[in-house]
Amino acid sequence: MSIPVGAHIADGWGARTAARARLHSPLRRLLSPTGLSRAQAAGRIAFLAVVLAVSIISLISVVNALTWVNRPFAGFLVNPRMVVGTVGQYNWTGPAAGVRNPDRILTANNRRVGTIGDLEAAVRDAPVGAPVRYKIERGGRAVQAIVHTMRFSWADLLTTFGITFASGLTYLLLAVIVFLLKPDAEASVAFLLACFVLSVFTIVSFDVFSTHRAFTRLYLLADTVLPAAFLHLALVFPERRRVIERHPTLLLAPYLVSVALAIPYQLLYPRPPFELFAKASRLYAVVAALALIASPLLVILGRASRLARQRAKVVLLGAALAFPITGVVRYAALVGGSFLGLTIQTNLLALPLILFPASIAYAIARHNLFDVDVYIKRAVGYGVMTVLVGVTYLSTQAVMNQVILAMFGEGGERIAPILFALSVVLLFNPVNRRVQDTVDRVFFRKALDYKQTVSAVSDALASMLNLDQIVQQVIRTVRQEMFVDTAALIVLEPGLQSYRTFGLDEAKDAAAAPPRAPVAYDDPLLALIREEKTLITRYDVDEDPRYAAARAACLTSFSTLAASLAIPLIYHGEVKGVLALGEKKSGEFYAREDVDLLTTMANQTAVAIQNANTHEEVVRYAAELAASLRRIQILESIKTNLAKFVPKTVQNLIEESPEAPSLDKREADLSVVFADITGYTRLSAQLALDQVNRLVERYFGAFLDEIVRYGGDVNETAGDGLMVIFRDPDPNRHAHAAVLAALGIQRRTREINDELKGQFEPIAMHVGVNSGIASVGATKIEGAAGTRWTYTASGPTTNIAARLAALGEGGAVVTSEETCRRLGHDFDVEDMGLQSLKNVAQPVRVYRLAVEEVEPEAAAVFDERRGHPRRPVSWPVRLWVGEESFQGHIVDASLHGVCVATVPMALLDMGKSYRLEVTLAGGGELRCVAEVRSLGDRGVGMETKEPLPAG
């Protein structure tokens, strides 16, 4: 059937409710008085009273017991009626002399013994180890026994009082743990009462047979109330009986019977008629024990819930291991003094008895009893194997010994143990496997091949990238292997606050997906699973106090899903979906093998779903990437073509901040070179247009090499002229670069003139250089036809540079006084005096530099300052910007400079220094500080303070 899911199961409080459902301190939850009913408050008060009472009783018992250490005693213990007790050790002189329960001491060394004081006086009169003659009443006749006195040691205390005291505290501890975990459960209260009485009965037992100081009457009371507490527990656990549902007051009936026994028991003790009520109390205890066994049996045979049946199995296992044998032995010891011919000291029986309340505590406290069947199977298997080994051993002793003795004579006694050990080694494992297989067939109709199922699912899911196929495979496997009545797989949509639910369609034997229903992530059950990231059953929600706030809403969600089990699909700590399963058609509860298989399948399904989602994302990303690459190709084409027309400075500004480049005009210190061709108009008139263009491109191409060599940026071109801007944090440096570029232009003009001699008339260049402050940025020109932007430098500095160019004759370079000042003594200059320039108000002092005189030497000096000629390299580098580092490559290097590519230039500032960690070609490392000198297409030009290696 298809499970309709997708509607809001709860409103927006679901996620908050799940968060509040986290585990709080059990003690804080127990002691919190807010929001408690009268019954809940009474239960908590009773719990505190029980703990306080047992603590006081334990303290008094310990103090009384410690007074016996190193104290002489008769070699046996007696109760106030002078009847030998069942508490003691076999190596004491009393049991060794045949004194046993229920012998009654009459005289000691011919002195009447009526009280414990009389017996202690007789012991004091005799030295330790001395014999004392006792007259004992045994079976209605008097017998004599000689028992040597002893000194009560620490070992005696530990093996008598220590065992019973530890057992009593263990009972109370089990009850405390259960009550803390489930303070409001009726079974917890009944278990608390039973463990309280059992704890008191066990702790004070030593006092009854030793000091006789405080707790004899309390011991008798606990002896009569204990069966009532057990009957109370049997009526409400593993499942509340229907008769109690109809008549709750019947829970008082067991306690009324205990009161009817306790009153004459207390009044008649220690006179002989009390024995009738003591035996009746023991018989009542046997009836209560049988009731505790019958209650889980009725649950298993009846129509109880699966959880109740699982709990019944646990109780039966604990009862079978502990209670019946202990009860029978105790009753036999009371009425006959022995069991199967052996005198049993009841203090030793306290140890196996712990298994029974421990099994009940486990069944009450645990909700997911998946391991119960495993435990039972192992216990039965081990029990059968123990019986077989014992029978084999006895058979060997009875049969093999005779055969071996007949074959080997007297030496056969030494051979028999060896042959038995060999037979155990050879036969144990085969017999154990056969026994375990038999137990499996008895307890489980179908054995789940866990490895085969996991392997099949793994192989199938590994090749699936379609979500529908994955869901069908998972649900089909669950149905075939688990035989569940309903199944649903909730797949959370990645990145969306919605999910998609697939249900089990039995008619089509396939997974059916209802329409996708978007919901917020506030569904209580989904929110709880995302919060806990663990398997959750409806029994967890129904009984675990952690989920009290979200209980009603989550149970509604379970009902809507027709599920009893919800398993998260977890991938890298994130819940990718939920596998919700109903009950098994066999009627059995989920076993540990089932849970292991489902958990493994859930993990594999989460991986498969993630792979499917990733595959879908990859396909989508591939389409988006193809479209993006196409757009990038178009943009690169546009960039390449526009770069031909855009100054380098503008390109750098746009690359640093593509969305909002800083093009506003700002004042900057720079050097400007103006250069134009003399006689360009005459040249254009003499030559064809294409010849003129080729000629200009030939010259200007050579000029561009010089300009780029010295770091200039061609800002404007206009037919026969160009304007070049040089910038650098060091004002003297860009002045040197501008002058050297200008001299290079004149030198390359002369070289090309010589090269083209005879083909074209030589040309001459007017070149002027000026340095100073100019306004650099974009200029907007608006008109009727639209708006146009230009990026240039303007102001007096550029105007003077243009006028200086007009003064240049004979292949010289004309500079201003400011530029000449920045050059220092690196160049030989000729002072041309003050010159009047067009559109310049005041005369300007002008200097002239001849190319053949200064350019080679000055260029060499400039190259030295640049850090020597650069060479291509490929050095990985880590560039640090504050606390962040970026990987890049050094593409060329000189003695004091590098060009770093593939680093974020937008984060770097001109003139600022940054740390570099360079990996050299030979594998060595170099750490240095470098200052940003230029930002260009190839990368970041940086000057280092320390020299770089030549290799």
Side-chain angles (χ1 to χ4, degrees), residues 114-169:
T115 65
I116 187 64
D118 297 337
L119 180 61
E120 290 177 349
V123 171
R124 285 195 304 269
D125 291 342
V128 175
V132 177
R133 182 180 297 274
Y134 294 97
K135 182 179 180 181
I136 300 173
E137 180 183 347
R138 179 182 296 167
R141 60 189 180 89
V143 298
Q144 298 289 328
I146 297 177
V147 181
H148 294 264
T149 60
M150 298 179 62
R151 189 176 298 279
F152 198 85
S153 65
W154 281 102
D156 295 327
L157 181 70
L158 293 177
T159 54
T160 54
F161 174 74
I163 291 176
T164 56
F165 181 74
S167 300
L169 291 184

Side-chain angles (χ1 to χ4, degrees), residues 482-620:
M482 300 294 177
F483 298 103
V484 297
D485 52 8
T486 59
L489 186 61
I490 303 173
V491 180
L492 302 180
E493 295 294 336
L496 302 175
Q497 289 189 341
S498 63
Y499 62 70
R500 188 178 181 185
T501 303
F502 298 83
L504 179 64
D505 192 335
E506 294 184 348
K508 299 180 180 180
D509 191 21
R516 187 171 303 189
V519 296
Y521 274 15
D522 58 358
D523 178 273
L525 182 58
L526 294 182
L528 187 60
I529 292 175
R530 287 197 304 272
E531 192 82 20
E532 298 285 335
K533 292 184 175 63
T534 187
L535 179 148
I536 295 178
T537 69
R538 67 180 308 133
Y539 307 114
D540 294 329
V541 175
D542 193 28
E543 298 199 8
D544 198 326
R546 293 184 300 169
Y547 309 132
R551 179 169 297 149
C554 288
L555 289 177
T556 302
S557 301
F558 270 115
S559 300
T560 304
L561 291 168
S564 62
L565 188 73
I567 304 174
L569 313 180
I570 301 176
Y571 179 80
H572 285 182
E574 181 181 357
V575 177
K576 295 295 183 180
V578 177
L579 179 61
L581 302 179
E583 303 289 355
K584 297 176 69 174
K585 292 182 179 181
S586 64
E588 296 290 334
F589 196 68
Y590 289 94
R592 171 53 59 186
E593 290 87 349
D594 300 329
V595 174
D596 290 341
L597 174 61
L598 291 171
T599 303
T600 303
M601 286 181 56
N603 294 335
Q604 293 176 340
T605 304
V607 175
I609 290 174
Q610 180 64 27
N611 291 340
N613 292 335
T614 303
H615 175 70
E616 292 180 0
E617 292 179 1
V618 168
V619 172
R620 185 174 68 255

Side-chain angles (χ1 to χ4, degrees), residues 284-335:
Y284 190 23
V286 173
V287 172
L290 294 176
L292 276 177
I293 298 175
S295 180
L297 282 175
L298 292 175
V299 167
I300 292 177
L301 299 176
R303 296 183 178 180
S305 67
R306 289 171 174 81
L307 181 62
R309 288 201 291 270
Q310 291 297 100
R311 286 173 168 169
K313 293 179 182 179
V314 177
V315 175
L316 284 177
L317 179 61
L321 294 175
F323 194 78
I325 296 177
T326 304
V328 172
V329 170
R330 287 177 62 87
Y331 184 76
L334 176 67
V335 299

Side-chain angles (χ1 to χ4, degrees), residues 177-191:
I177 292 174
V178 171
F179 196 84
L180 287 176
L181 293 176
K182 291 187 174 182
D184 301 322
E186 186 178 23
S188 298
V189 177
F191 185 67

